[in-house]
Amino acid sequence: MRRVWVTGASGFVGSNIAYVLAARHGVEVIAPTHADVDLTDGALVARSAAATRPDAIVHAAILNDFLELTARRRDAWEAFVGATRNVVDAANAADVPVVLISTDWVFDGTSPPAPAAEDEPPNPINMYGFLKAASELVVSQRARRGVIARVAGVQGVHRARVGGGRVARVQDAGFGYLVASMVEALRAGRPFTVWDGPGLNALATPTLATDAGELIWRALEREVTGVLHCVGGEHADRVALARRAVKAYDLDPDLLLTGPPPDGAIPPGIAIPRDTRLDATRTAALLDADLPDLDMTLARLGAELDTAWSTTA
């Protein structure tokens, strides 16, 4: 595996996958931006992939705006499903594997009882989950050598931003960036309120972005196909995750608060899956991987935060 074409490498998850491939495994990463290649243009995608002659394609690009997904449904469909179709066709033409980065939000969070296994049919309840589930179907039915890599509760640093994206991001209904945002606030002596209550993704399987990248690398190296849950080895609720992080990093527990989201913080009319825990037993066996527990995940995350943030201190 010498060269991998990665879409969405300027994003949070994509930048970590690109980092793992390049920095840890010596892979040449071809990372076109949207300005370079419009993924909804099938002919352009085909030409770009053919010209770079990759050994694999990883498709991590998304339209990352929940309100836009419902306000611009045709554009959203093309950004997810149409782009996935174009990327899969390019991979088929090059006779290389294609990895779609998907999500635990393809499940509704209530049934079947979580944790959901790799072979559980999706049942999304919002537009993002629906578009990801539809994209998964494109890969499963169209790709000759397809991998659907679901990630969940992703934590880490943003490799495409200076200092790992140190400026704290506003908390959202999911788990992403939760620990990094909390750590930044508490280290600065500011209180941080972890949202709790109805209408939130309350339970998930926290995953370090670079750990997900390592599992994807293993899948490519071992030529594994099908649905994989590229996640950590321990489930948690959002409040417990924050408290474990406070203890792991020796932060002031009195600064950690819990409470409902502020008015208007959650986009109205968008259903959020409550329990999206994923079972990765099959994935771990296929990849011969030991999935880290939460203590190990937090230790690795702490090291990544310290390294990234020390460059901008």
Side-chain angles (χ1 to χ4, degrees), residues 120-186:
E120 194 64 50
N123 52 350
I125 59 172
N126 57 42
M127 184 60 71
Y128 174 66
F130 167 74
L131 291 169
K132 276 296 190 181
S135 299
E136 289 188 4
L137 196 60
V138 171
V139 174
S140 65
Q141 295 194 347
R142 197 178 185 100
R144 297 196 189 107
R145 299 159 63 188
V147 179
I148 295 165
R150 293 178 183 144
V151 299
V154 186
Q155 309 299 313
V157 300
H158 199 308
R159 302 280 171 177
R161 294 180 181 171
V162 176
R166 182 163 185 170
V167 176
R169 177 176 164 168
V170 175
Q171 190 176 178
D172 59 28
F175 274 59
Y177 284 102
L178 176 61
V179 174
S181 296
M182 183 208 71
V183 170
E184 184 178 4
L186 267 60

Side-chain angles (χ1 to χ4, degrees), residues 158-249:
H158 199 308
R159 302 280 171 177
R161 294 180 181 171
V162 176
R166 182 163 185 170
V167 176
R169 177 176 164 168
V170 175
Q171 190 176 178
D172 59 28
F175 274 59
Y177 284 102
L178 176 61
V179 174
S181 296
M182 183 208 71
V183 170
E184 184 178 4
L186 267 60
R187 283 183 175 176
R190 303 191 306 270
F192 185 91
T193 300
V194 179
W195 296 348
D196 192 20
L200 298 169
N201 186 196
L203 291 153
T205 310
T207 307
L208 187 62
T210 47
D211 284 347
E214 288 289 353
L215 292 172
I216 290 165
W217 165 254
R218 279 179 174 253
L220 291 172
E221 280 287 274
R222 293 165 182 262
E223 300 183 352
V224 173
T225 58
V227 178
L228 301 176
H229 285 173
C230 297
V231 297
E234 184 178 347
H235 315 302
D237 67 71
R238 56 195 300 128
V239 175
L241 173 62
R243 288 173 176 164
R244 290 274 290 273
V246 166
K247 182 177 180 180
Y249 306 143

